[in-house]
Amino acid sequence: MVNKKVSKKDIAKLLEQWGQQFIVFAPSRESGVAAFAEWDGKDTGFLDWYRNTVVPPKASFLPPMEEMFHFQKGEEGYSIEPSAGEENKRLLFGVRPCDARAMAIVDMTFKDAYEDPYYLSKRKNALLVGMGCTNPCESCFCTSMGVSPAESADVDLMFTDIGDEFLIEEVTDRGKELIAKTKGLKEMNKGDEAKAKQSKKTAYDRVTRKLDTEGIKDRLLASFDDQEYWEKVAAKCISCGICTLLCPTCYCFDINDELVKQEGTRFRSWDSCGFPLYSKMPMENPRQEKWRRVRQKVCHKYEFYPMTFNVIACTGCGRCIRLCPVNWDITRVIESVPNKTGVKK
Ligand code: SF4
Ligand code: SF4
């Protein structure tokens, strides 16, 4: 339900107010690339430059490197001391609809048979404030993946840009509660709704890249053993891992211990199925060749995830296209999967 609005010039005051209850994260270029970072209490310049972040918001819940616990070896074996848990609630301001959907997709894995306490302790208390796109990138294809650039059911509040102001939509009860406690918001008027409608339509129409995913799960299944095809698809990939590390739906991690004498710390850090050592096991590496690793990346998103969770693990955010150093393009790959299913499209 949309019933409130806020002036862009009052966003700092709004975040300041929310900062009394939450640690507020907002888009920032402080680290050298656009990423969600703890808001510095004054800068709202991101409203002018922000299209989407390079580092997706998953990093706020699954950081690139994270301490899991400390351990110490004593006379009676090892003792373990958990790392400090998450106590403060986070509010992420400005999450794009594709990335909010990606968080919902990652949640499925971390809430599945094994509940990941590190991820969930941060995620369950977090509030996502979405912001519709006004200027999608050429590489975005969210509208082909069931995501709207302007609307989202995966956030708590949704902001729509109507010029000098944002309309605020309450999406969840938690969002509604926050708005009820927030001071200084204005009531929307009759003309605002028409402006929001136009703004949403413009955003939708600007996503011009399209991808037809009909039957993709079965096409991939039928082409799994087509080595010649996968070798062709993988030819130019240099296994840098960027497309997976910065994909908002990828969540693989590696675990390492840092040990000094009798004590140490266990960390986990982002990993990628694109790396040659990723699947190395004591006796063998089932994905030694690059084409097998590229096949894994594509099939995990478009075949295995739909088999497990009934959803494609790609939101069309376009990062893997924008950021790949050799212009590998997942939409061209999905379009080129041979149809060996015997079913005509
Ligand atoms: S970003 Fe490009 S080159 Fe790097 S692993 Fe992905 S597809 Fe390969
Ligand atoms: S596969 Fe590419 S387009 Fe799809 S969600 Fe990941 S980074 Fe975005």
Side-chain angles (χ1 to χ4, degrees):
M1 187 176 71
V2 183
N3 55 7
K4 298 283 183 203
K5 62 180 180 175
V6 61
S7 293
K8 286 184 179 170
K9 64 176 173 44
D10 291 333
I11 289 295
K13 278 191 217 149
L14 181 68
L15 298 186
E16 208 179 298
Q17 208 182 133
W18 286 347
Q20 288 161 16
Q21 294 176 57
F22 298 94
I23 304 176
V24 173
F25 287 75
S28 159
R29 291 192 292 209
E30 199 56 34
S31 66
V33 290
F36 280 86
E38 205 170 322
W39 187 56
D40 66 2
K42 48 184 189 294
D43 182 17
T44 55
F46 62 86
L47 293 175
D48 297 326
W49 58 258
Y50 176 49
R51 292 178 93 182
N52 203 351
T53 52
V54 171
V55 182
K58 74 173 181 188
S60 296
F61 307 104
L62 179 67
M65 183 171 255
E66 177 168 40
E67 203 176 284
M68 298 173 83
F69 55 81
H70 304 284
F71 55 86
Q72 199 155 27
K73 191 176 181 191
E75 285 183 0
E76 292 179 9
Y78 282 95
S79 62
I80 288 178
E81 187 194 324
S83 298
E86 178 67 14
E87 286 185 10
N88 295 314
K89 293 194 258 176
R90 293 165 182 227
L91 181 148
L92 266 66
F93 181 75
V95 178
R96 295 303 188 196
C98 56
D99 288 341
R101 174 65 54 84
M103 291 307 315
I105 290 172
V106 175
D107 288 351
M108 292 171 189
T109 290
F110 283 108
K111 277 189 199 163
D112 200 31
Y114 175 75
E115 295 197 347
D116 186 289
Y118 302 97
Y119 175 88
L120 292 176
S121 64
K122 296 187 260 306
R123 180 75 172 106
K124 73 174 192 282
N125 288 324
L127 214 114
L128 299 186
V129 178
M131 190 181 284
C133 290
T134 50
N135 192 13
C137 303
E138 182 283 323
S139 46
C140 298
F141 56 101
C142 56
T143 54
S144 299
M145 306 309 290
V147 179
S148 159
E151 284 163 313
S152 175
D154 304 302
V155 294
D156 296 290
L157 293 171
M158 186 70 195
F159 277 45
T160 300
D161 190 328
I162 54 163
D164 294 333
E165 298 169 314
F166 287 110
L167 286 199
I168 306 173
E169 185 181 346
E170 296 162 350
V171 181
T172 63
D173 289 345
R174 293 177 67 210
K176 200 172 175 178
E177 272 168 39
L178 179 63
I179 290 301
K181 285 190 237 154
T182 304
K183 297 190 185 97
L185 300 175
K186 298 186 274 185
E187 298 298 323
M188 66 179 264
N189 62 43
K190 272 189 186 162
D192 294 333
E193 207 164 340
K195 281 193 214 164
K197 210 168 158 191
Q198 185 55 45
S199 157
K200 289 179 185 187
K201 182 176 180 321
T202 307
Y204 203 94
D205 292 346
R206 282 188 177 161
V207 181
T208 51
R209 186 184 277 255
K210 302 289 172 205
L211 177 65
D212 181 1
T213 58
E214 205 192 321
I216 188 60
K217 176 163 65 83
D218 296 329
R219 278 195 285 138
L220 284 167
L221 187 62
S223 302
F224 191 78
D225 292 323
D226 188 341
Q227 181 173 343
E228 199 184 329
Y229 167 71
W230 289 110
E231 279 180 342
K232 222 160 56 187
V233 163
K236 69 177 177 182
C237 170
I238 56 171
S239 301
C240 69
I242 287 174
C243 57
T244 41
L245 298 177
L246 295 178
C247 170
T249 65
C250 279
Y251 50 77
C252 287
F253 57 81
D254 189 19
I255 293 182
N256 284 288
D257 289 344
E258 275 196 1
L259 184 67
V260 179
K261 293 188 178 162
Q262 301 294 314
E263 54 187 288
T265 306
R266 178 160 293 181
F267 293 94
R268 69 176 177 185
S269 51
W270 287 356
D271 201 355
S272 165
C273 59
F275 295 151
L277 292 183
Y278 175 84
S279 41
K280 190 167 183 235
M281 293 187 273
M283 298 298 286
E284 60 159 351
N285 184 344
R287 292 188 217 124
Q288 186 74 49
E289 301 99 324
K290 187 175 59 174
W291 66 268
R292 292 184 193 271
R293 303 195 296 273
V294 169
R295 179 181 67 179
Q296 166 65 23
K297 174 180 71 177
V298 175
C299 290
H300 183 243
K301 293 185 176 305
Y302 281 81
E303 181 190 339
F304 310 151
Y305 222 82
M307 279 172 155
T308 314
F309 295 114
N310 209 20
V311 63
I312 292 177
C314 169
T315 64
C317 77
R319 281 186 182 85
C320 57
I321 302 170
R322 289 194 287 285
L323 303 171
C324 174
V326 297
N327 296 324
W328 193 90
D329 183 334
I330 194 155
T331 59
R332 301 288 93 89
V333 172
I334 294 301
E335 276 166 358
S336 72
V337 177
N339 188 356
K340 299 183 177 186
T341 61
V343 178
K344 285 200 177 133
K345 278 183 72 182

